[in-house]
Amino acid sequence: MRPPLHVASRLPPRPAWALVGALILVGLVVAGCSGQPSAYKYDWSIFWKSVTGNEPGVPNGLFLTVTISVLSQLIGVVLGVFGALGRLARLRVFRWLANLYVWAFRGTPLLVQLMFFYYGLLVTKLYGWPDLVVGPLTIPGVIQAGIFALGVNEGAYMTEIIRAGIISVDPGQMEAAKSLGMTYGRAMRRIVLPQAARVIVPPLGNEFNNMLKTTTLLVILAVPELFVTFENLNGSGSTSFHPFELFLAAAVLYLVLTTIWSIIQGWIERRLARGAAGGEVSSGPSLGERLMGFRLGSSNTGVR
């Protein structure tokens, strides 16, 4: 039940609530750490060297994480387009296949799929994942398996996102395109999908944000992405057994990646919003709303 107007007007704005919650959380953490002094010796040089990419392997792990995320998301988008068209197809067999694909890959854990596609196919000799040589670049089979599994899993989620975007477009657009002599495929490419992009891009951007973090599951295949790189640093060498500094640095790097992508996503959404109905351009969520759930500098008092 919404509080009365005289009560709601005295409630602190949402950013204030978030700040109070953060202060309480910090207080609880400090209280939990205020026991006997720990024997753990901090080495903050490890943290700074890791964040700045001076620790061995960190730049390669960062590059591999971004590359795997981009390629997996591209595979997911392509499969999502075909899956969405399959679910909207008139032929029942295409609808069944698309529904089966979505049901199977959304209904099973991604970790299980990674194990199945790599180890399962490998030991049964159904597919051996040989190294792929592209010019001077060699892509190990385990990385191929990781990209494939992440992409196929993502495609099941993108199927529903793209399908929702296509359905959001007025059916009259397709009818008008057909009346002009366009084929279904051409009308979909030139008329429907460009308009559906305004609906598809925001959740697609969120999916890519998740993909950057989901690559950590490739630890099960020992793919040397960012998380595995920090795990190896924690296990050997001069940085051995410094999990606090190392994984704090890993968290900072993941935050940098997701923040950069949030800025890019906001720019893409503003570009797509141009030319929307009525000539209005929606600025979309602010950076504060994308990252922390509230608009920075908001003066919202809770009264509508």
Side-chain angles (χ1 to χ4, degrees):
M1 180 176 178
R2 185 178 298 176
L5 181 60
H6 67 279
V7 175
S9 62
R10 295 199 301 268
L11 291 176
R14 290 180 183 177
W17 280 115
L19 180 59
V20 170
L23 291 175
I24 293 174
L25 181 60
V26 171
L28 291 174
V29 172
V30 172
C33 296
S34 60
Q36 296 180 352
S38 172
Y40 185 82
K41 294 183 179 179
Y42 297 93
D43 188 348
W44 290 107
S45 65
I46 294 176
F47 170 79
W48 293 114
K49 287 176 67 177
S50 299
V51 168
T52 56
N54 291 321
E55 283 292 352
V58 172
N60 290 336
L62 194 62
F63 173 77
L64 191 56
T65 292
V66 174
T67 302
I68 290 174
S69 299
V70 170
L71 293 178
S72 299
Q73 191 67 44
L74 286 175
I75 292 173
V77 170
V78 172
L79 290 177
V81 170
F82 285 107
L85 294 178
R87 296 203 68 178
L88 296 171
R90 292 182 179 179
L91 292 178
R92 187 174 299 177
V93 64
F94 291 141
R95 295 202 303 272
W96 282 352
L97 289 174
N99 289 334
L100 178 63
Y101 167 59
V102 172
W103 171 71
F105 285 94
R106 291 186 62 172
T108 55
L110 175 55
L111 197 60
V112 174
Q113 296 169 25
L114 287 166
M115 295 291 287
F116 173 80
F117 280 119
Y118 185 63
Y119 294 112
L121 299 184
L122 197 61
V123 299
T124 56
K125 301 187 186 305
L126 292 175
Y127 187 70
W129 296 107
D131 292 348
L132 180 63
V133 179
V134 182
L137 182 65
T138 300
I139 306 175
V142 67
I143 295 180
Q144 299 175 46
I147 293 173
F148 177 79
L150 290 175
V152 173
N153 177 269
E154 181 62 27
Y157 292 89
M158 287 305 306
T159 293
E160 291 301 292
I161 292 172
I162 295 174
R163 175 175 170 268
I166 293 174
I167 291 175
S168 69
V169 178
D170 187 352
Q173 298 287 326
M174 177 62 75
E175 296 175 4
K178 288 182 177 179
S179 68
L180 294 175
M182 288 188 179
T183 62
Y184 177 83
R186 192 173 187 182
M188 188 64 68
R189 290 193 308 271
R190 296 195 174 185
I191 305 297
V192 177
L193 287 178
Q195 296 182 66
R198 295 193 185 105
V199 176
I200 294 171
V201 164
L204 187 155
N206 295 336
E207 286 294 307
F208 182 69
N209 200 322
N210 287 331
M211 181 67 74
L212 288 167
K213 295 171 286 187
T214 304
T215 55
T216 55
L217 290 179
L218 297 181
V219 64
I220 199 68
L221 305 182
V223 174
E225 43 77 50
L226 192 60
F227 176 74
V228 172
T229 298
F230 278 98
E231 191 177 51
N232 293 336
L233 288 171
N234 186 52
S236 62
S238 61
T239 58
S240 178
F241 197 63
H242 280 278
F244 185 88
E245 299 92 324
L246 287 170
F247 292 109
L248 180 61
V252 169
L253 290 177
Y254 279 111
L255 276 172
V256 169
L257 289 178
T258 54
T259 301
I260 291 173
W261 173 247
S262 296
I263 295 171
I264 296 173
Q265 181 184 350
W267 177 81
I268 294 174
E269 290 179 17
R270 287 192 295 272
R271 294 281 295 181
L272 288 174
R274 294 179 180 178
E280 297 180 358
V281 180
S282 174
S283 60
S286 67
L287 183 60
E289 288 175 305
R290 293 182 188 278
L291 300 181
M292 293 172 282
F294 60 83
R295 185 178 293 274
L296 296 175
S298 173
S299 59
N300 182 17
T301 62
V303 180
R304 296 185 181 183

